[in-house]
Each structure stands twice: as C-alpha cells, then as structure tokens.
C-alpha cells in the first residue's frame, strides 16, 4: 500500500502511465472497485485485470527496508505489463531481461542500459549484437560456446558465471536441470573466459522459482564464495558481483529468505566494495494483480455445479500447468444477486470451473465450494500477477494479450 504522499507522486510520474486512468482504491477495497467497474459498464463481459500500484510501492518499500544492500533487478518475464514495469522503474528498480524484446521494452521506459542485466545464459547471436549496440554490458554464461559468441559480438560485456544452485529450495519450478555450471565445470569455464580476454566480474545463481526453503540461499551463497576463491587462485582479477537470482515470495517467507541471505552474506562476503544484486520476479508481481472473469456457461448435474469462464489454462491460468500454481476464486454474483454479490451466507455447492477452450485440460478448479451462480455473474481470482498473462496464448481464438488492465492504488498505510 502507498504509505506516504511521496510514493504516490512517484507512481503518478512513472513512465507508461501518461494518459492512463488511475483510480484510488475505495476504502472498502478491491471488491468494491471491481464491482463498480462491472456495474458502470453494463455490457462488460470480457475478463479484466486490476493492478494495485500501491501494492507494488509497498513491496518495493519492504524490499528496501529488509534487504537494503541487495539491489533488485525485476525479472521481466514474470509479468511484462507496461504500467507495472513503468512504476517499478520509477520506484528505482533495475531489470533482468532475457531477450532482445525485453531489453527494448525496458529501454523504451527511459531506463538506462546500466540498470539491465541480460540474465540469459544462452543467447542468440543476433540478441547479443543488439545488447552490444545499446550498451547492455552485463550478462550471464554457463558454457564455452557462450564465451565464443560473446567474444565475437560483445567483447566489452562483463560476465557473471551462472552456477547450478546446490539445493533447489523445494522450489515449485527448479531451474537447475536447465542452467548453471556444475562444480567441476567452473574452473575450466573461468579459464576459458580469461583466455578469451573477457572479464568475469562475478557469479549468479537461481535457487528455483517459488522456493520454500530459505536454507537454499545460504547453501548457494556459501558455494559462491568457493567460486570467488577459485577465480583468485587462477590469478584472475578479483570478482566483485554476487547475483542471488530470484525465488522470493512476498509475505512471511520473504522475511525468512532475507534473514538467510543477510546472514550468509555476513559470513561469506564481508569484504568491502562488493555489489549484491537479485532478480526477483514473483515477489513484486504476484499479489499486485487480481483477475476478474465472466461466467459464460453453466451446467447442473445433480448436486454438482459446472461453470465456464472466459479465461483459462491456455490464457492467464497457464500458471496451473507451467508454474504449478493453485488458483482461488471468489464469487461476484453481480447479475443474479445484486443485493448481495459476495453471496454472504448463501449455501455452497461442489463446483467445477472450466476455461473457455474446447480442451478438457482447460479446467481451472475442481471440487471448489461456490454459491449458486448464473451465466453473466463473475469469478474473481486474487494473486494472479506472476507467470499468468505473460505466458498465455491465443489458442481457440481467446486472446490473452488483449485482456485489459485497470490501474488503481491503495493508500492505507500497511
Ligand atoms: C525467472 C527468473 C527469475 C525470476 O524468478 P522468480 O522466482 O520469479 O523470482 C530471475 N532470474 C532468472 C535468471 C530467471 O530465469
């Protein structure tokens, strides 16, 4: 939540917000805002997002207070919504980009290239050339082949060696199977970079997205210290950048992770002059976005209620498949129960919620208790900002990227 006048001014001045309508969140919260969006536009049936920029400001505040020495580079792939990126930029975030298009998007917000880490260990040659042409001069690698390409197309780029995290932290989406040098590969890779005349300025890792065990940060930071030592033993220039990646989730889990990170940095990286960076995605995006979907179909089978909504697994709810997420729906009976749209006190039924496409896999919820709803009522899904719209498709003619985002800001001090 925007806790002071200053952060509201910052939000209002953010790149990408010019000409956009920004509504203060009513005192009684998001539900009443969503209700007014629906009631004010009688023919509104399309799904829509509500982005609470006050939540973004509050999360940035929390990051800065809790991990003041670790500079956040927001991972654009998690949610590239332009207003969201603009507000993060205005709040002082830097960015983790993984492709030419992501770099272009971030630069178009007026962010300078030294606030970008090109954190993709395996890049197309044309994208490396582009990074060189715009002055994005920090990237990751975990193979000799990557060194060859960078030497050829961007020899002035500083490198971070991406190492495989020793522990995946119970992550929902481990990244170790795809990226990161193995312990025995580290010295040969560092040597190869040095022979190629490239500068390895530090190390990066990712303990996995949606990690639940903060001990994984400690293990990875301890291993990173070992890599710094190997570089020294090889007579390379001293490394000075430690990139601890993503994996953070907002809430009490963040405090645990931050405590683990701080104590490991204290223990292994005491010397002055070091730069600590992180690449949080989910932390900033997840709780800032709420999705409202319209009920477009219904079937009753005995006690079971089945509903069809106009977004699903091929759209925003791809997170169920790719991000191993569970989603949660609250009813909004705006049409059938206008007096009591939240259906307080109503009897509930075991319900199934399907997405709109003609694939049985497109099932959003099963065994979910919901009151009796009708076609044209709504279902609202909180915490839908991370790995949702970013990876949706146009399958079967349902276009995820066309979903509108309404902007709001909450102002109650948190
Ligand atoms: C996806 C990704 C992130 C963001 O991860 P979260 O778990 O969402 O914080 C950060 N860094 C890299 C290299 C990534 O691939």
């Amino acid at each position: 939540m925007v806790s002071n006048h200053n952060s509201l001014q910052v939000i209002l001045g953010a790149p990408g917000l010019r000409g956009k309508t920004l509504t203060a969140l009513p005192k009684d919260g998001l539900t009443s805002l969503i209700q007014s969006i629906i009631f004010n536009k009688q023919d509104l049936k399309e799904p829509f997002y509500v982005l609470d920029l006050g939540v973004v400001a509050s999360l940035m505040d929390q990051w800065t207070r809790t991990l003041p020495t670790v500079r956040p580079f927001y991972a654009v792939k998690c949610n590239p919504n332009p207003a969201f990126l603009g507000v993060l930029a205005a709040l002082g975030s830097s960015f983790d980009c993984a492709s030419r298009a992501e770099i272009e998007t971030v630069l178009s917000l007026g962010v300078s290239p030294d606030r970008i880490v090109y954190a993709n260990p395996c890049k197309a040659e044309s994208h490396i050339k582009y990074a060189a042409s715009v002055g994005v001069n920090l990237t990751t690698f975990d193979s000799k082949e990557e060194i060859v390409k960078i030497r050829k197309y961007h020899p002035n780029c500083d490198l971070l060696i991406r190492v495989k995290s020793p522990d995946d932290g119970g992550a929902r989406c481990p990244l170790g199977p795809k990226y990161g040098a193995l312990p025995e590969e580290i010295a040969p890779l560092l040597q190869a970079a040095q022979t190629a005349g490239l500068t390895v300025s530090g190390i990066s890792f990712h303990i996995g997205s949606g990690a639940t065990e903060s001990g994984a940060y400690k293990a990875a930071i301890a291993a990173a210290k070992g890599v710094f030592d190997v570089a020294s033993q090889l007579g390379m220039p001293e490394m000075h950048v430690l990139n601890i990646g993503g994996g953070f989730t907002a809430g009490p889990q963040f405090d645990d992770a931050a405590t683990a990170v701080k104590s490991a940095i204290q223990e292994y990286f005491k010397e002055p002059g070091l730069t600590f960076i992180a690449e949080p995605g989910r932390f900033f995006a997840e709780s800032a976005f709420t999705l409202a979907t319209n009920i477009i179909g219904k079937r009753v089978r005995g006690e079971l209620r089945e509903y069809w909504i106009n977004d699903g697994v091929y759209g925003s709810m791809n997170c169920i498949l790719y991000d191993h997420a569970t989603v949660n729906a609250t009813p909004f009976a705006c049409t059938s129960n206008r007096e009591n749209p939240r259906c307080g006190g109503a009897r509930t039924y075991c319900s199934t919620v399907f997405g709109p496409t003609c694939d049985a896999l497109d099932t959003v919820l099963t065994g979910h208790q919901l009151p009796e709803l009708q076609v044209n009522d709504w279902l609202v899904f909180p915490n839908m900002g991370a790995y949702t719209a970013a990876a949706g498709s146009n399958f079967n003619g349902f276009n995820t990227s066309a979903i509108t985002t309404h902007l709001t800001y909450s102002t109650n001090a948190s």
Side-chain angles (χ1 to χ4, degrees):
M1 262 116 304
V2 179
S3 48
N4 59 46
H5 187 65
N6 275 350
S7 36
L8 179 56
Q9 288 312 311
V10 170
I11 288 173
L12 294 174
L17 286 197
R18 187 160 304 164
K20 292 259 161 61
T21 313
L22 185 57
T23 328
L25 194 69
K27 283 253 176 312
D28 39 355
L30 215 50
T31 25
S32 106
L33 175 66
I34 289 172
Q35 195 167 318
S36 71
I37 292 170
I38 293 167
F39 284 165
N40 287 343
K41 263 183 120 181
Q42 286 306 330
D43 52 351
L44 176 66
K45 296 286 157 62
E46 295 306 312
F48 61 91
Y49 276 99
V50 176
L51 163 57
D52 186 346
L53 297 169
V55 168
V56 184
S58 151
L59 288 167
M60 182 55 84
D61 206 46
Q62 216 177 311
W63 183 284
T64 315
R65 273 186 289 114
T66 317
L67 279 176
T69 60
V70 182
R71 182 173 152 199
F73 285 63
Y74 169 71
V76 174
K77 82 167 187 284
C78 185
N79 192 324
N81 176 281
F84 179 59
L85 295 179
V87 166
L88 281 167
L91 290 167
S93 184
S94 296
F95 295 89
D96 156 1
C97 298
S99 61
R100 172 178 179 146
E102 286 188 356
I103 295 172
E104 282 172 340
T105 301
V106 169
L107 291 177
S108 75
L109 297 168
V111 171
S112 68
D114 61 1
R115 282 167 69 191
I116 295 174
V117 55
Y118 190 176
N120 183 342
C122 193
K123 299 165 284 293
E125 288 178 347
S126 62
H127 295 212
I128 298 173
K129 276 193 238 179
Y130 172 73
S133 73
V134 294
V136 169
N137 296 332
L138 184 62
T139 191
T140 58
F141 75 105
D142 66 0
S143 68
K144 289 190 177 163
E145 285 71 10
E146 199 68 9
I147 292 171
V148 173
K149 288 185 289 175
I150 295 166
R151 178 176 179 218
K152 196 158 165 199
Y153 298 110
H154 196 1
N156 295 324
C157 198
D158 271 15
L159 303 182
L160 302 176
I161 182 167
R162 169 88 173 252
V163 300
K164 187 165 140 62
S165 169
D167 173 354
D168 69 13
R172 242 152 72 183
C173 303
L175 291 162
K178 184 165 179 182
Y179 291 120
L182 302 173
E184 63 274 21
E185 294 166 346
I186 289 168
L189 280 174
L190 291 177
Q191 261 164 334
Q194 189 167 27
T195 308
L198 300 176
T199 305
V200 184
S201 58
I203 169 180
S204 83
F205 59 78
H206 195 305
I207 65 163
S209 196
T212 50
E213 295 148 24
S214 60
Y217 287 106
K218 177 143 201 182
I221 292 170
K225 168 68 177 157
V227 178
F228 271 55
D229 293 344
V230 170
S232 295
Q233 283 151 20
L234 292 172
M236 298 172 65
E238 289 296 316
M239 287 185 174
H240 56 94
V241 181
L242 174 63
N243 178 356
I244 64 172
F248 302 92
T249 304
Q253 255 172 273
F254 177 62
D255 295 323
D256 287 351
T259 305
V261 166
K262 279 188 288 197
S263 86
I265 285 178
Q266 266 291 313
E267 187 169 347
Y268 301 104
F269 289 93
K270 278 196 280 283
E271 56 276 41
L274 299 176
T275 300
F276 303 107
I277 73 178
E279 299 164 347
R282 186 186 309 279
F283 175 81
F284 286 114
E286 188 164 66
S287 57
F289 290 80
T290 302
L291 175 67
T293 64
N294 190 245
I295 295 176
I296 56 170
K298 176 178 177 181
R299 180 168 61 200
V300 177
R301 276 193 174 149
E303 284 296 287
L304 179 68
R305 300 291 179 269
E306 295 174 307
Y307 301 104
W308 278 255
I309 57 174
N310 51 6
D311 198 355
V313 162
Y314 286 93
S316 303
M317 283 83 166
N318 74 82
C319 59
I320 295 171
L321 296 184
Y322 295 135
D323 192 34
H324 310 289
T326 44
V327 297
N328 192 14
T330 56
F332 241 29
C334 297
T335 304
S336 68
N337 193 357
R338 241 188 121 124
E339 301 310 307
N340 179 20
R342 312 283 316 276
C343 307
R347 110 155 244 218
T348 61
Y349 296 83
C350 182
S351 307
T352 302
V353 177
F354 294 116
T357 68
C358 296
D359 180 354
L361 180 71
D362 193 0
T363 303
V364 173
L365 287 165
T366 51
H368 197 69
Q369 288 294 321
L370 286 171
E372 180 92 50
L373 297 168
Q374 305 300 338
V375 170
N376 290 325
D377 283 337
W378 293 75
L379 284 175
V380 175
F381 297 80
N383 300 319
M384 285 292 289
Y387 306 108
T388 49
S393 73
N394 294 348
F395 178 56
N396 236 186
F398 300 94
N399 184 355
T400 313
S401 53
I403 299 177
T404 308
T405 301
H406 293 264
L407 305 179
T408 186
Y409 60 94
S410 43
T411 49
N412 353 9
S414 50

